[in-house]
């Protein structure tokens, strides 16, 4: 979504400097509460309808993700303002791009960072030598250094987005080079080529299914039970169970997305169990601790969903608790509990990511490519594909591509009918199965899609720079023929 300067660059007014980031977050949660007044049950923006690719917010120049409150704030800002990509610029980036003179009147957000500075308490406020940097401190004499003590101080900094500039910096070559490195940029290109909302939605459906299966894998790895509840979704610390309303009761065309968003929130609560990160999961719904834990779970689930380019999903109750809790912190202002909650949210997200890595490792430890192909190939037609088999399919795909590259290195780049026949013979010798068998089992595993299957293409001819001779047609076992066969296509539904 394009943002004109007059709309995006509204002046941010705050009375307390230390509350700058907190107040920006508060404003966003207040906007969520306003939506619930209109009768919405859960609040989320559908990114593909706004031609928007969500993601982990990062500095566009260095590529480093923002952390803690900055990450929370920028994720929320991207969603609510409809920013097309999750990249942000600071003042240094503007200078490097040579666009300082045309920067907007006001930034899109104010971030903060903790820095080390040396303080001389004997100096008056306003004295430029009252606070000095580490480099300046080192340049002082030993006698001068005696007056200073090391302190940690909060520094605020402005952040900008390309949508605030004319043509979204499309004519700035260096900026375009920066953003070309990120997967979100290529996904946005695909999104912009879609002609209908139905096409746009189908582009993101694999991400939604992969996110659900990712959460299922982690929950199973941790032994957390999942039970069905008629009307509510919640986590029970005493029994280590997650209660979820049946998927069929989530209504609307984006029901699965809503379900996954709530699921991510509840699984984030489960990371606080005494056997995991051991957070305080006690207190009634009116307690301060309850609101604090809600923000932790929301911060974690938001980060999880961004890994799949999906929006966070908030219900009215959680929004009200978080908003009320943040208002309390705003009035007190004696400790930065927002930063603490966001850091704990990051810990929860990282814990979930590590458990998924553990799930993958356990599959890899027992992986045998020939046995995995055989198991998937002869799995009864109506039998469900387990998550372990699904990840095995991803490993099959990786190994098959490695063998494909090796074969090309040995046999040149002429893609003829003989080439594919020779490749089948090669694969038969290596793993006991031909190219068509591998394509069949990989396609079968897509019913339980995992993240690894989103970005890997099988036998990708274009990536190998093969010169295809036009007088030959690839045999019926090719990937393209499988894709064009409606009976073998996987149909996503929400």
């Amino acid at each position: 979504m394009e943002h004109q300067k007059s709309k995006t660059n509204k002046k941010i007014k705050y009375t307390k400097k230390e509350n700058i980031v907190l107040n920006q977050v508060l404003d966003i949660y207040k906007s969520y509460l306003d939506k619930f007044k209109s009768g919405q049950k859960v609040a989320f923006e559908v990114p593909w309808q706004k031609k928007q690719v969500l993601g982990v917010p990062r500095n566009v120049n260095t590529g480093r993700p923002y952390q803690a409150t900055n990450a929370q704030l920028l994720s929320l800002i991207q969603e609510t303002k409809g920013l097309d990509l999750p990249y942000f610029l600071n003042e240094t980036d503007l200078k490097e791009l040579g666009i300082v003179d045309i920067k907007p009147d006001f930034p899109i957000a104010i971030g903060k960072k903790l820095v080390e500075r040396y303080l001389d308490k004997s100096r008056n406020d306003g004295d430029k030598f009252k606070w000095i940097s580490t480099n300046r401190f080192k340049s002082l004499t030993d006698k001068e250094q005696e007056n200073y003590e090391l302190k940690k101080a909060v520094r605020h900094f402005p952040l900008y987005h390309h949508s605030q500039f004319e043509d979204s910096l499309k004519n700035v070559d260096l900026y375009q080079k920066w953003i070309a490195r990120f997967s979100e940029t290529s996904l946005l290109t695909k999104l912009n080529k879609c002609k209908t909302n139905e096409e746009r939605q189908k582009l993101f459906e694999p991400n939604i299914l992969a996110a659900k299966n990712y959460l299922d894998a982690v929950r199973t790895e941790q032994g957390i039970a999942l039970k069905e509840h008629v009307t509510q979704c919640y986590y029970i610390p005493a029994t280590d169970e997650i209660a979820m309303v049946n998927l069929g009761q989530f209504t609307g065309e984006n029901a699965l997305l809503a379900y996954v968003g709530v699921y991510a929130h509840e699984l984030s609560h489960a990371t606080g169990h005494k056997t995991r990160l051991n957070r305080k999961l006690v207190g009634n719904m009116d307690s301060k601790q309850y609101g604090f834990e809600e923000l932790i779970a929301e911060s974690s689930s938001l980060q999880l969903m961004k890994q799949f380019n999906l929006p966070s999903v908030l219900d009215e109750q959680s929004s009200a608790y978080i908003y009320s809790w943040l208002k309390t912190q705003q009035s007190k202002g004696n400790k930065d509990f927002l930063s603490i909650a966001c850091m704990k949210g990051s810990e929860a997200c990282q814990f979930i990511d590590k458990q998924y890595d553990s799930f993958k490792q356990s599959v890899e430890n027992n992986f045998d490519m020939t046995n995995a192909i055989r198991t998937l190939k002869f799995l009864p037609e109506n039998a469900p594909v387990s998550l372990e088999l699904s990840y095995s399919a991803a490993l099959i795909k990786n190994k098959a591509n490695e063998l494909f590259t090796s074969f090309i290195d040995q046999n040149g780049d002429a893609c003829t009918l003989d080439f594919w026949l020779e490749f089948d013979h090669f694969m038969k010798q290596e793993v006991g199965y031909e190219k068509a068998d591998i394509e069949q089992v990989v396609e079968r595993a897509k019913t339980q899609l995992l993240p690894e299957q989103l970005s890997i293409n099988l036998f990708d001819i274009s990536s190998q720079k093969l010169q295809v001779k036009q007088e030959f047609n690839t045999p019926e076992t090719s990937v393209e023929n499988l894709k064009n066969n409606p009976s073998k296509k996987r149909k996503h539904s929400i």
Side-chain angles (χ1 to χ4, degrees), residues 10 65 85 90 112 126 128 175 459 490:
K10 293 180 180 179
L85 290 166
N90 57 33
K112 70 175 182 180
K128 66 178 182 179
Y175 185 78
F459 306 130
R490 176 180 174 272

Side-chain angles (χ1 to χ4, degrees), residues 281-293:
L281 299 178
V282 295
N284 57 47
M285 293 184 178
D286 297 324
S287 69
K288 296 173 184 176
Q289 181 62 36
Y290 194 90
F292 185 60
E293 174 61 27

Side-chain angles (χ1 to χ4, degrees), residues 201-453:
Q201 181 171 325
K202 284 184 177 179
L203 187 63
F204 284 83
E205 283 176 357
N207 295 47
I208 300 171
L209 183 58
K212 179 184 179 299
N213 290 334
Y214 180 95
L215 299 174
D216 276 337
V218 172
R219 181 185 57 76
T220 304
E221 182 74 12
Q222 279 292 293
I224 302 168
L226 180 67
K227 71 174 189 177
E228 189 173 309
H229 193 277
V230 179
T231 58
Q232 292 181 305
C233 301
Y234 52 87
Y235 171 65
I236 313 165
T239 54
D240 199 22
E241 292 179 319
I242 291 174
M244 289 290 295
V245 172
N246 185 279
L247 176 58
Q249 291 183 250
F250 282 78
T251 58
E253 60 180 348
N254 300 301
L256 183 57
L257 173 57
Y259 180 92
V260 172
V262 175
Y263 190 7
H265 182 94
E266 300 307 332
L267 186 60
S268 296
H269 277 309
T271 64
H273 191 268
K274 61 184 179 181
T275 61
R276 300 181 189 105
L277 298 179
N278 195 23
R279 295 193 305 271
K280 291 182 179 179
L281 299 178
V282 295
N284 57 47
M285 293 184 178
D286 297 324
S287 69
K288 296 173 184 176
Q289 181 62 36
Y290 194 90
F292 185 60
E293 174 61 27
E294 279 300 306
L295 185 56
I296 292 171
E298 171 56 20
S299 176
S300 170
S301 60
L302 183 146
Q303 292 174 60
L304 286 169
M305 296 294 279
K306 293 299 173 291
Q307 293 176 14
F308 294 90
N309 311 115
L310 300 174
S312 58
V313 177
L314 265 177
D315 60 43
E316 182 175 8
Q317 193 176 58
S318 293
S319 295
Y321 289 135
I322 292 171
Y323 180 75
S324 176
W325 182 80
L326 290 174
K327 287 289 285 183
T328 301
Q329 306 313 305
Q330 182 188 44
S331 61
K332 289 183 177 180
N334 57 343
K335 194 171 183 179
D336 190 359
F337 282 103
L338 175 60
S339 290
I340 296 171
C342 290
M343 284 189 287
K344 287 185 177 293
S346 294
E347 289 175 2
C349 178
Q350 290 165 13
F351 180 88
I352 290 171
D353 288 339
K354 286 179 181 178
Q355 296 311 306
Y356 184 72
D357 289 341
S358 176
F359 157 77
K360 292 195 297 182
Q361 190 62 55
S362 64
V363 176
E364 291 168 14
N365 290 342
N366 299 297
F367 178 72
D368 177 272
M369 186 167 178
T370 301
N371 288 339
I373 294 171
R374 183 186 303 114
T375 301
L376 278 162
K377 182 175 175 63
F378 296 104
L379 195 68
E381 185 176 350
N382 296 323
V385 176
S386 69
L387 291 173
E388 289 77 11
L389 276 177
S390 181
Y391 184 62
S392 293
L395 296 177
I396 291 170
K397 193 187 290 189
N398 274 334
K399 182 62 177 176
N401 282 337
E402 288 176 11
L403 292 169
F404 187 48
T405 301
S406 174
F407 179 78
I408 290 169
D409 290 342
Q410 296 172 26
N411 295 274
D413 60 357
C415 186
T416 65
L417 180 60
D418 287 342
F419 172 91
W420 292 110
L421 291 173
E422 290 170 7
F423 179 62
D424 271 341
H425 179 69
F426 171 78
M427 292 300 290
K428 192 83 172 177
Q429 286 184 316
E430 291 291 327
V431 296
Y433 288 95
E434 297 179 350
K435 174 173 173 283
D437 297 316
I438 295 170
E439 290 172 335
Q440 176 192 343
V441 300
V442 168
E443 188 70 17
R444 174 69 191 278
K446 286 183 179 179
T447 56
Q448 282 282 49
L449 206 62
L450 285 169
E452 292 71 24
Q453 294 157 291

Side-chain angles (χ1 to χ4, degrees), residues 20 50 196-197 294 337 339 416 488:
I20 288 178
K50 299 190 292 185
T196 65
N197 271 336
E294 279 300 306
F337 282 103
S339 290
T416 65
K488 295 183 180 179

Side-chain angles (χ1 to χ4, degrees), residues 95-106:
K95 290 177 183 177
E96 189 168 344
L97 292 170
I99 57 174
V100 174
D101 293 340
I102 61 169
K103 74 176 181 181
D105 294 333
F106 302 102

